[in-house]
Amino acid sequence: HFPIAPPDPIDAIKFRMEQMGMTKADMEKYLGSQSRVSEILNRKRKLTMGMIKSLYKDLKISPEILLT
């Protein structure tokens, strides 16, 4: 019985994208411009509360994961 660490927020987003067959272009409506999507997915920019709410509402990614 070992505790399982929560997944990395960016890995969770990428996993959901893969599950849903989404591209980076599809993520623009959740994260902003194409450059903003790249910055988020490359870990150069943090998620905002608005992005987290949108990802939870539309893609059903847990806020607890995205806030870590």
Side-chain angles (χ1 to χ4, degrees):
H1 299 231
F2 298 98
I4 298 173
D8 174 78
I10 303 306
D11 289 340
I13 293 170
K14 289 178 179 179
F15 179 72
R16 181 65 62 162
M17 286 173 64
E18 184 179 319
Q19 280 184 322
M20 299 178 77
M22 299 176 76
T23 64
K24 288 182 181 181
D26 297 326
M27 295 303 292
E28 289 179 26
K29 66 181 173 182
Y30 308 109
L31 303 178
S33 67
Q34 181 181 6
S35 61
R36 179 72 41 93
V37 171
S38 291
E39 290 172 343
I40 298 290
L41 295 180
N42 289 319
R43 295 177 171 83
K44 294 183 180 188
R45 182 181 292 267
K46 295 198 179 274
L47 293 166
T48 66
M49 287 306 293
M51 292 173 186
I52 291 170
K53 287 177 184 177
S54 181
L55 291 167
Y56 170 66
K57 180 181 171 218
D58 297 329
L59 301 183
K60 308 297 185 233
I61 301 174
S62 170
E64 289 83 17
I65 292 171
L66 297 173
L67 288 169
T68 59

